[in-house]
Amino acid sequence: MQPFKSLCVIGLGYIGLPTAAVFAKSGLQVTGVDVSEKAVKSINTGKAHIVEVDLDGLLQGVVANGSLKAQTVPAEADAFIIAVPTPFKEDHVPDLSYVEAATRSIAPFIREGNLIVLESTIPPGATDKMVAWLEEERPDLKDAGGVGRAYFAAHCPERVLPGRVLIELVQNDRIIGGITDECAERARTLYEIFVNGDCYLTNARTAEMAKLSENAFRDVNIAFANELSVIADKLSIDVWQLIELSNKHPRVNILQPGPGVGGHCIAVDPWFIVDAVPNEARLIRTAREVNDYKPQVVIDKVKKAVCRFKNPTVAFMGLAFKADIDDLRSSPALDITVQLANELECSMLAVEPNISELPANLKNTQIKLTETFEAVEQADILVLLVDHKAFKRIPSSKRAEKIIIDTRGIWG
Ligand code: SAJ
């Protein structure tokens, strides 16, 4: 018989909320905790405060049958999952203050035998820190045998792709790093409740580093593609054809260049490695720099194109950080648009089919949120920033005789 009947999830964001809902659907009594009263209110009416495919439907069911309840304070449970953000501070130093606050907030509710899992992406050694903060608040747990005996702690990093979260939560393999072997075993029992993929057990530090390595691997590979795109431009070669042809080799798989790397994971997590071992992580640091520089390359190209006209209309196609999502956070497409909207004096249009209103940092500029076909019609210069489905459908006849700056290679 599985020992977990109740669960408390701290942090109801892009990872915590779907995780809480899936556990609730699997039969656990789940308390979801978030500092935002607005988020809590919305969740308790069965509506997610974030956009994720099929999440609203799932949430409605588990809230209606009482298996998921959101609140602003933690509650007692058999297991706890912490899924709060870990941004970085100045100089790319990881900010663990949310993890610390979450840990201290659950401390009074921990009973002997409880399991605490940290899912947030964290630098190496942070799960040990969580244990130290907990035992500082609860010396009685330490006296009763500490971690691995009186209670159990593990790191189980999330690996889901935004837009496919509910599918990947269930299907993906998981890495579970225990503070002790027994901690890892207990955490496996929890995740096996709904995970269909395999659960691989290791120690906490390896699990922490595995998560960072996955995202750093992708970042380095995207940086390679981005660097190739700059080199190809200089040599007057079509980078898209170059990559397509190179990828015909059976052991080559170059990723796609773009306007830069966005989102809250790939552009952030590699810095945790650089911060931990600055002298050793040379390639990983350089990849971050290459990717962070790419928006500037696009900005320079647009400025050059604008100089060729008297008073052109420029359309920025896409603001999200990647295709077919509405998430504008840490988006190179948005950064490029904001910078040019503030610098250029021509007429400008922003096209983002997944939003209904311009974000705050574009609101007091000249730029107008415009529907796809209207923008294509009006623009002299089309700057393709996101490979949304809607943009792939624009016929080539509509784009003829316009200057095209296609950062995603969809208009070949
Ligand atoms: N990008 C490119 N070229 C590519 C692929 C991506 O420029 O060939 C850009 C995207 O446009 C976007 C950024 O990279 O701006 C990141 O997008 P992504 O789709 O690569 O990844 P995320 O940030 O949505 O999700 C990643 C995933 N990690 C890996 O694929 C190794 C996901 O599985 C993780 O769970 C997630 O980070 C996370 O939460 O850490």
Side-chain angles (χ1 to χ4, degrees), residues 15 121 158-162 168 172 211 214-215 218 222 226 255-266 269 321-323 332 387 408:
I15 301 302
T121 303
E158 59 82 15
R159 302 169 120 179
V160 290
L161 198 71
E168 293 204 359
N172 289 4
K211 167 69 193 185
E214 290 161 18
N215 280 355
R218 195 147 167 90
I222 298 170
N226 276 334
L255 294 182
Q256 298 299 299
V261 169
H264 357 280
C265 311
I266 295 193
D269 303 351
F321 88 82
K322 65 178 188 175
D387 43 343
R408 302 277 185 175

Side-chain angles (χ1 to χ4, degrees), residues 273-303:
I273 302 178
V274 176
D275 181 67
V277 281
N279 295 329
E280 289 75 17
R282 293 189 297 172
L283 175 65
I284 293 170
R285 179 204 299 271
T286 304
R288 274 287 65 248
E289 287 166 356
V290 168
N291 285 334
D292 275 354
Y293 182 65
K294 190 67 200 290
Q296 191 56 48
V297 174
V298 179
I299 287 168
D300 292 344
K301 256 193 189 174
V302 178
K303 283 185 178 166

